[in-house]
Amino acid sequence: MVPHDLNVDLHMHSSASDGVLSPAALVARGRDHGVDLMAITDHDTLDGLSEAEDAARDLGVSFTNGVEISVTWGGTTLHLVGLGFDREHPDLAGALAQMQTSRFKRAQDMDAALVRAGLPSVLESALSHAGNPNLIGRTHFARALVEAGVCHGMQEVFDRFLTPGKPGYVAHDWASLPDAMRWIQDAGGTPVLAHPARYRLSDTAHWALMQEYMALGGSAIEVSTGSHTQEDTRRYQRLSVELGLEASRGSDFHCPKESRCDVGRAPPLPDGTLPVWAGWAV
Ligand code: AMP
Ligand code: MN
Ligand code: MN
Ligand code: MN
């Protein structure tokens, strides 16, 4: 089959980070939705990958390792997906373990900031949603605040409390872009700049990011993702062709009740783009 005709989903989250389905349940959902090739890309952890790979083997779905690394670039948080790496590589696993030590402290700071803003403390509840305290994040707080009746939905929590400038947002130093790129590349993987339309950057900063990304060996960006509008997808189709960057496709699925886009249901890659998986054995 030509690469464009495969149903490929290279971005989704399991309960190992801020998704709600187990890695095996995600793979089963991919199989049910006719996915030919999938990657699970949990935030800053490889914990779900071995379960997913076993399930993929049992269910006959092609699977590749994935991760979504949090990066701080010029004061903005970016997400860098890594695909097809060796998950046993000690540097990648070690670097992610280092990053995880700071998430719990950040959660305590977020809780304190929310309490200062007059909200009840939801740290315990957020921790119970997270499972692993080292992987707690804003999504777990959002679920806890909806459950506590503070907000009606996840989007409202982010808009009112958890985005930059809002009372529960705690700035954080994630990995640097060169480090995150190197961890993925040294483990034999392919970096992919996740949902590029989501970053609030000036045109100049956006251009500088693309130049730096390519100088560091970045050769792929997400074009079709559940985190892009149709207009975003068209814009990054043009950019990928203009800059000669390969294109990736992923749902960014987290939860059946929350996510706009289900596993395997991101829009197809637009014509003219070169799929990042074109050279892979699927
Ligand atoms: P964290 O890594 O803890 O900062 O959490 C980032 C995660 O929060 C993202 O991967 C999304 O799952 C979620 N998120 C961020 N912004 C929003 C938003 N505006 N609406 C819904 N979810 C969001
Ligand atoms: Mn997430
Ligand atoms: Mn992301
Ligand atoms: Mn994601």
Side-chain angles (χ1 to χ4, degrees):
M1 223 191 272
V2 291
H4 268 280
D5 292 343
L6 293 169
N7 186 351
V8 177
D9 191 337
L10 299 176
H11 189 150
M12 68 188 78
H13 297 270
S14 80
S15 51
S17 66
D18 60 355
V20 298
L21 300 184
S22 68
L26 264 186
V27 174
R29 200 173 184 90
R31 193 264 325 261
D32 292 348
H33 290 187
V35 171
D36 298 300
L37 167 67
M38 64 190 286
I40 291 184
T41 54
D42 279 308
H43 297 287
D44 308 322
T45 182
L46 311 181
D47 285 355
L49 297 180
S50 118
E51 177 185 320
E53 189 175 66
D54 290 347
R57 193 181 314 106
D58 291 347
L59 296 176
V61 177
S62 294
F63 176 80
T64 191
N65 288 322
V67 66
E68 183 174 20
I69 302 180
S70 312
V71 164
T72 301
W73 183 85
T76 299
T77 300
L78 308 177
H79 284 172
L80 186 69
V81 161
L83 298 173
F85 50 81
D86 169 14
R87 67 171 180 266
E88 307 295 340
H89 195 285
D91 292 358
L92 175 60
L96 295 176
Q98 280 286 319
M99 282 185 76
Q100 289 166 19
T101 58
S102 62
R103 272 193 181 263
F104 181 64
K105 168 75 169 63
R106 170 191 185 235
Q108 290 175 311
D109 293 346
M110 281 170 58
D111 193 57
L114 290 167
V115 168
R116 276 198 303 278
L119 271 52
S121 169
V122 292
L123 181 59
E124 286 305 315
S125 166
L127 280 168
S128 72
H129 282 284
N132 180 349
N134 290 334
L135 290 164
I136 187 170
R138 285 185 286 163
T139 308
H140 305 114
F141 274 86
R143 290 190 185 125
L145 287 168
V146 171
E147 209 168 76
V150 173
C151 292
H152 296 293
M154 302 286 285
Q155 197 55 53
E156 184 190 342
V157 186
F158 277 94
D159 291 346
R160 284 177 58 196
F161 297 109
L162 297 182
T163 40
K166 299 299 159 62
Y169 183 78
V170 173
H172 195 72
D173 261 337
W174 302 109
S176 75
L177 184 61
D179 281 352
M181 297 284 292
R182 193 168 35 78
W183 300 336
I184 296 166
Q185 290 160 335
D186 286 355
T190 304
V192 177
L193 185 65
H195 42 64
R198 283 255 304 267
Y199 310 127
R200 280 189 255 170
L201 296 171
S202 67
D203 288 351
T204 315
H206 182 275
W207 183 250
L209 170 61
M210 289 301 165
Q211 296 305 313
E212 183 175 338
Y213 181 59
M214 291 191 293
L216 291 167
S219 61
I221 58 172
E222 283 186 344
V223 170
S224 296
T225 141
S227 295
H228 277 176
T229 64
Q230 278 186 348
E231 176 49 36
D232 295 334
T233 300
R234 278 194 291 274
R235 177 173 176 209
Y236 284 92
Q237 168 195 25
R238 288 193 294 271
L239 198 75
S240 78
V241 171
E242 195 180 305
L243 298 178
L245 293 166
E246 293 168 349
S248 191
R249 172 179 188 248
S251 57
D252 208 354
F253 176 80
H254 287 71
C255 168
K257 282 184 292 187
E258 294 164 10
S259 294
R260 272 190 303 174
C261 184
D262 213 318
V263 178
R265 303 269 165 85
L269 276 188
D271 291 341
T273 52
L274 179 64
V276 65
W277 61 87
W280 300 354
V282 177

